Amino acid sequence: MAAREIDHRAPQPPFRQIAADLTQDIERGELPPGSPVPSEKELVERYGVARNTVRSALAVLRDNGLVYTVPSRGTYVHEHGGENERQNDG
């Protein structure tokens, strides 16, 4: 899970670049369903950005349904299989 370097001159803001990078990790299976996403501190160090930038990136992933956050525990990759099965049963 090597971090892509953030291009501060790119039209896409850093938080979106981080969200795209983490999304690719999830899609490739490097962050499988149920696994924890690296902590905010780890992501700050990995990408060399402010904590609020990392929080914004994680918010994008939550809004896209890729991760969920458990207060005081961390952020985890969503279990899509179980969620889809419940939707199809209805």
Side-chain angles (χ1 to χ4, degrees):
M1 202 168 28
R4 181 169 70 95
E5 189 170 320
I6 299 302
D7 182 357
H8 293 278
R9 297 181 308 179
Q12 190 177 40
F15 79 93
R16 294 225 180 256
Q17 294 177 52
I18 295 167
D21 199 34
L22 292 172
T23 297
Q24 288 176 353
D25 289 345
I26 292 168
E27 290 172 348
R28 284 192 302 256
E30 293 178 24
L31 287 172
S35 69
V37 174
S39 70
E40 287 180 0
K41 182 180 178 197
E42 290 172 308
L43 294 172
V44 163
E45 291 171 1
R46 179 182 298 174
Y47 291 102
V49 297
R51 185 168 290 229
N52 281 340
T53 302
V54 167
R55 287 180 178 165
S56 294
L58 293 174
V60 169
L61 297 180
R62 270 193 304 276
D63 291 346
N64 290 337
L66 295 173
V67 301
Y68 63 96
T69 300
V70 178
S72 301
R73 300 280 298 170
T75 300
Y76 298 85
V77 178
H78 221 291
E79 299 271 358
H80 289 290
E83 187 175 72
N84 290 338
E85 287 172 14
R86 283 192 297 272
Q87 290 174 355
N88 291 335
D89 286 343

